Amino acid sequence: MKPVRIPLKKPEIRISRDSIRRTVKEYALISIALLLYSFSWMAILRPAMVSSGGVTGVGMMLYYAADIPVGLTLFAVNGVLVVVAAFIIGLR
């Protein structure tokens, strides 16, 4: 017996002005929040030699201990986490 193919309708995509405004507003708020976070990190926490938790905290500890740039550490550790997540979740 051959498999029966059922034709599927393509979903209609409707973009309204409200959805565009909402999306732009969300991205603007995210950008403002990231600017505030990076300012507080570079202007307050890093000069005071305060470390936070997570990947950023690991990066700061390596910066203080071995003078490895924080950006390089963040890139490497996040890359490892993405690979681990891909193996756990599975590549789709």
Side-chain angles (χ1 to χ4, degrees):
M1 218 181 207
K2 291 184 178 180
V4 178
R5 292 190 176 236
I6 300 173
L8 300 174
K9 292 184 179 180
K10 292 183 180 179
E12 290 184 26
I13 300 173
R14 296 184 184 209
I15 301 174
S16 66
R17 287 185 185 218
D18 290 335
S19 67
I20 293 173
R21 283 186 193 136
R22 184 176 34 243
T23 303
V24 168
K25 181 181 175 184
E26 288 173 358
Y27 277 101
L29 289 174
I30 290 170
S31 298
I32 291 169
L34 285 172
L35 285 172
L36 287 172
Y37 177 78
S38 63
F39 171 76
S40 67
W41 183 261
M42 294 304 291
I44 299 168
L45 295 176
R46 189 170 173 190
M49 297 183 78
V50 175
S51 181
S52 67
V55 175
T56 311
V58 170
M60 287 303 291
M61 287 189 290
L62 286 175
Y63 175 73
Y64 294 139
D67 205 27
I68 299 172
V70 177
L72 181 65
T73 306
L74 292 177
F75 185 75
V77 173
N78 280 325
V80 170
L81 290 175
V82 167
V83 170
V84 169
F87 281 117
I88 291 173
I89 296 172
L91 298 172
R92 293 181 187 191

